[in-house]
Amino acid sequence: MSLPIDPETIDPDEFGEKQAVLEMDHEEAIEHVREVCTDVGFGIPVEFSPSELLNEKVDADRDPYYVLGACNPEIADRALDETPRIGGLFPCNMIIWEEEPGRQRVYHASIMKIARLLGMAPDNDEWADIVDTTGDLTAEAFERFDSVETDVTD
């Protein structure tokens, strides 16, 4: 099976990858990311801990790993008007995992950009505006992570 894109050659900016390092404990990082996301305009309708689930169900012994499902309802509504398939990628996730005690990695990839790369979303002005708007909100969130003793990696 061949992929529609070559993962080795794609620039992380093309799929909206953003990362930050927070020098704080895991629970504090989750609360910080949740608060920042809310402040910039994302709600958090879904959240869960894959590490807790896997540690319980298959005795995985995973380090803390948490998913905050972020969503801006107006943007989600516009995106669904353009392509109902985008719901298969909802919500936009902010992932927080513990690299070591006191050091958490925050990770995000843009579902709006990924949908466009995979041909799930239209190549039109409305979708470009959706990508720009979600990108601006995400950039603002990562700038705020940076303002709290964070090391941001693009």
Side-chain angles (χ1 to χ4, degrees):
M1 178 178 130
S2 66
L3 297 173
I5 54 176
D6 181 354
E8 297 295 319
T9 62
I10 190 166
D11 185 321
D13 286 340
E14 290 184 65
F15 60 91
E17 181 177 76
K18 296 213 175 285
Q19 298 185 54
V21 173
L22 300 176
E23 301 292 342
M24 57 183 66
D25 71 44
H26 190 68
E27 292 301 319
E28 184 182 3
I30 292 167
E31 291 305 315
H32 178 64
V33 172
R34 183 186 294 114
E35 182 179 303
V36 168
C37 285
T38 301
D39 287 349
V40 302
F42 290 114
I44 307 292
V46 177
E47 57 184 281
F48 66 102
S49 173
S51 59
E52 286 180 17
L53 176 71
L54 295 170
N55 291 347
E56 177 185 319
K57 298 293 183 184
V58 296
D59 197 27
D61 193 31
R62 293 203 166 271
D63 291 332
Y65 188 101
Y66 204 81
V67 178
L68 290 171
C71 182
N72 178 291
E74 289 91 18
I75 299 169
D77 187 49
R78 289 174 53 203
L80 285 169
D81 282 345
E82 291 297 310
T83 178
R85 297 188 306 166
I86 191 67
L89 299 176
F90 278 178
C92 299
N93 290 319
M94 293 285 185
I95 313 301
I96 303 112
W97 71 80
E98 185 173 79
E99 291 187 330
E100 62 186 57
R103 183 180 173 92
Q104 315 305 316
R105 172 82 48 183
V106 182
Y107 180 87
H108 171 79
S110 169
I111 66 169
M112 303 305 181
K113 285 186 174 186
I114 290 169
R116 185 62 212 115
L117 284 171
L118 297 178
M120 294 174 64
D123 186 10
N124 63 22
D125 290 342
E126 177 63 14
W127 199 262
D129 187 59
I130 288 168
V131 167
D132 289 345
T133 303
T134 57
D136 290 346
L137 293 175
T138 303
E140 184 177 345
F142 275 82
E143 286 170 15
R144 291 186 187 199
F145 298 153
D146 190 37
S147 69
V148 180
E149 299 180 22
T150 357
D151 173 24
V152 175
T153 307
D154 288 333

